[in-house]
């Protein structure tokens, strides 16, 4: 089974080399692909100098467009499972196997590494937890699927799911939307507990100002998705 | 509707048509996107030449001033043009994203091929 770890990277010069080296030592059997989303710092030079496997987006697309490009690469190169893992060191490769297992065993199509199932490790700020809980409730309301850590960027998916994401993936803040879209189109989505760390360096992609836009945009997208997508068997949902 | 307003509307229509024509001629505007604007100037022209239809709409909407009818209708028309522009921008953004991704994938293939050539 061929497994590819997708690591989106935007201005992560402080973390990216450490993240990749840690992944290589923890999981020697898996391939990885760093997706440089047109970073303005020294990240692209680092990737090239360290001889890493990376994609260089010529235009900044945002996390969704970058990860989608990774899924394109995974599909084109015949990978069976793709795992998304943040480039800031929040996600410990030690949990990679836990996240992959349900997908590899065919129990789930999309498996999310959740920091809220066991409530261990970095739990993010109170306001963010409130926001995440609200989005989680919306997704439960719309699909009947209970997912706690809807914004988690630590997720594994199988080939069918990747092919769906190549066709439909939101450009900004895609995580909650993709969970709902996958659930509604008949993919099996679930969670496994992981422990996340606070980012090693740099800044989060969601600032205080953006969080209002984030909540409005994601809530609206979820409502539109629910209205536009009819429950269906994924085999018919082309 | 006063004669002066009619004259002003006709003048405005000609200015608009001239600007659209110049843009079309210079290739700054494609015919596809000029259609909405041409339709708008046509509506303006009809209102100016044939105020009777403005009076009919005014009575239908129970408004007082015919000039308000023109403003209202033109505003609605402008809203439609703006919405069609948002649609166009969204489509462009999607195409742009797909192109960027294809470009990045190709760039990686070229890079790998170059490295293989260097190793030989």
């Amino acid at each position: 089974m061929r497994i590819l770890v997708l690591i989106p990277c935007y201005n992560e010069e402080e973390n990216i080399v450490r993240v990749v080296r840690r992944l290589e030592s923890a999981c020697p059997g898996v391939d990885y692909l760093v997706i440089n989303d047109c970073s303005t710092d020294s990240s692209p030079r680092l990737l090239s100098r360290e001889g890493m496997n990376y994609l260089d987006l010529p235009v900044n697309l945002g996390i969704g467009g970058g990860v989608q490009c990774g899924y394109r690469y995974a599909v084109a190169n015949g990978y069976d499972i793709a795992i998304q893992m943040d480039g800031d060191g929040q996600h410990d490769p030690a949990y990679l196997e836990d996240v992959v297992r349900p997908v590899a065993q065919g129990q789930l199509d999309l498996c999310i590494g959740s920091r809220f199932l066991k409530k261990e490790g970095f739990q993010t700020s109170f306001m963010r937890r409130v926001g995440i809980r609200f989005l989680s409730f919306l997704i439960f309301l719309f699909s009947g699927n209970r997912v706690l850590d809807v914004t988690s960027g630590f997720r594994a998916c199988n080939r069918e799911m990747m092919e769906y994401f190549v066709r439909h993936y939101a450009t900004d803040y895609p995580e909650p939307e993709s969970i709902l879209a996958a659930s509604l189109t008949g993919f099996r989505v679930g969670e496994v507990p992981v422990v996340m760390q606070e980012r090693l360096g740099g800044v989060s992609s969601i600032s205080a100002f953006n969080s209002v836009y984030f909540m409005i945009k994601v809530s609206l997208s979820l409502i539109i998705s629910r209205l536009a997508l009819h429950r269906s068997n994924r085999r018919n949902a082309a | 509707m006063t004669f002066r307003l009619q004259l002003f509307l006709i003048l405005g229509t000609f200015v608009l048509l001239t600007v659209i024509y110049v843009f079309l001629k210079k290739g700054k505007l494609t015919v596809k996107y000029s259609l909405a604007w041409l339709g708008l100037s046509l509506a303006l022209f009809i209102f100016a030449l044939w105020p009777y239809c403005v009076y009919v709409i005014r009575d239908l909407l129970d408004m007082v001033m015919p000039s308000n009818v023109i403003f209202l209708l033109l505003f609605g028309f402008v809203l439609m043009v703006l919405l069609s522009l948002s649609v166009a921008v969204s489509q462009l953004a999607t195409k742009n994203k797909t192109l960027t991704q294809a470009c990045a994938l190709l760039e990686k293939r070229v890079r790998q091929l170059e490295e293989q050539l260097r190793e030989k």
Side-chain angles (χ1 to χ4, degrees):
Chain A
M1 194 165 266
R2 296 185 67 207
I3 298 175
L4 179 71
V5 180
L6 302 172
I7 308 168
C9 161
Y10 178 67
N11 292 351
E12 295 284 5
E13 58 183 4
E14 295 171 48
N15 308 314
I16 192 68
V17 176
R18 245 182 307 174
V19 168
V20 173
R21 294 286 172 247
R22 196 168 65 168
L23 173 73
E24 281 175 334
S25 58
C27 316
V30 301
D31 293 345
Y32 70 89
L33 177 74
V34 179
I35 301 143
N36 169 39
D37 192 6
C38 210
S39 296
T40 49
D41 64 356
S42 65
S43 305
R45 280 194 300 279
L46 282 174
L47 292 169
S48 170
R49 198 186 65 201
E50 301 282 323
M52 287 175 174
N53 190 38
Y54 69 97
L55 279 179
D56 221 354
L57 294 177
V59 174
N60 179 271
L61 287 185
I63 177 89
V67 171
Q68 191 181 37
C69 192
Y71 286 133
R72 271 183 211 281
Y73 176 88
V75 169
N77 291 278
Y79 283 97
D80 302 301
I81 292 178
I83 307 127
Q84 182 192 336
M85 204 177 104
D86 284 358
D88 59 8
Q90 273 193 67
H91 303 149
D92 189 340
Y95 292 95
L96 203 83
E97 221 188 312
D98 291 348
V99 181
V100 170
R101 198 177 299 121
V103 179
Q105 291 175 350
Q107 293 154 352
L108 292 175
D109 297 304
L110 174 63
C111 181
I112 293 144
S114 168
R115 71 203 122 165
F116 301 137
L117 279 179
K118 280 195 174 159
K119 295 197 167 56
E120 285 171 34
F122 177 59
Q123 294 283 305
T124 198
S125 67
F126 173 74
M127 278 315 289
R128 285 190 188 190
R129 284 207 305 276
V130 171
I132 291 169
R133 185 157 284 225
F134 173 70
L135 294 177
S136 168
F137 169 73
L138 273 187
I139 290 174
F140 174 68
L141 195 71
F142 292 160
S143 71
N145 198 352
R146 176 71 82 190
V147 175
L148 295 178
D149 202 348
V150 291
T151 56
S152 166
F154 197 9
R155 36 179 45 206
C157 68
N158 63 14
R159 200 173 162 83
E160 272 188 299
M161 193 78 253
M162 281 187 249
E163 283 166 357
Y164 177 81
F165 284 155
V166 165
R167 276 174 281 133
H168 313 278
Y169 207 59
T171 311
D172 42 358
Y173 315 127
E175 285 87 7
E177 285 179 62
S178 62
I179 292 174
L180 182 67
S183 302
L184 287 176
T185 34
F187 289 97
R188 294 158 299 168
V189 186
E191 282 179 299
V192 291
V194 297
V195 176
M196 289 192 195
Q197 292 147 13
E198 209 155 348
R199 52 188 301 118
L200 298 170
V203 287
S204 165
S205 58
I206 304 177
S207 65
F209 175 79
N210 284 344
S211 55
V212 176
Y213 167 70
F214 169 81
M215 286 307 293
I216 294 172
K217 192 256 169 187
V218 174
S219 303
L220 190 65
S221 307
L222 289 177
I223 294 168
I224 305 272
S225 297
R226 180 65 193 98
L227 295 174
L229 284 170
H230 299 285
R231 271 171 197 286
S232 62
N233 190 309
R234 68 198 134 121
R235 316 222 179 249
N236 310 329
Chain B
M1 210 156 73
T2 60
F3 179 68
R4 219 181 272 183
L5 180 64
Q6 263 178 289
L7 210 66
F8 181 72
L9 285 180
I10 292 172
L11 193 74
T13 310
F14 275 109
V15 171
L16 188 59
L17 279 173
T18 315
V19 172
I20 293 171
Y21 174 70
V22 170
F23 279 167
L24 277 172
K25 203 175 149 196
K26 284 187 178 173
K28 284 187 174 180
L29 184 66
T30 55
V31 178
K32 186 183 169 186
Y33 293 108
S34 71
L35 286 178
W37 292 111
L38 287 175
L40 186 139
S41 37
L42 185 74
L44 204 63
F45 196 60
I46 290 173
F47 291 157
L49 279 189
W50 195 32
Y52 181 72
C53 66
V54 179
Y55 295 128
V56 171
I57 300 171
R58 179 196 62 176
D59 292 341
L60 279 176
L61 297 178
D62 202 15
M63 293 171 83
V64 180
M65 299 286 290
S67 54
N68 280 352
V69 174
I70 294 176
F71 287 138
L72 183 74
L73 290 179
L74 284 188
F75 182 68
F77 212 94
V78 168
L79 273 186
M80 270 162 54
V81 173
L82 285 179
L83 203 59
S84 75
L85 284 179
S86 293
V87 170
V89 168
S90 303
Q91 283 173 343
L92 280 178
T94 309
K95 287 180 185 173
N96 193 27
K97 184 181 79 173
T98 312
L99 270 178
T100 307
Q101 292 173 341
C103 204
L105 292 171
L106 280 175
E107 190 268 343
K108 180 168 167 46
R109 278 178 70 183
V110 170
R111 184 155 29 92
Q112 276 175 334
L113 285 171
E114 279 176 349
E115 276 165 19
Q116 281 171 13
L117 277 178
R118 221 173 291 145
E119 281 165 15
K120 271 182 188 170

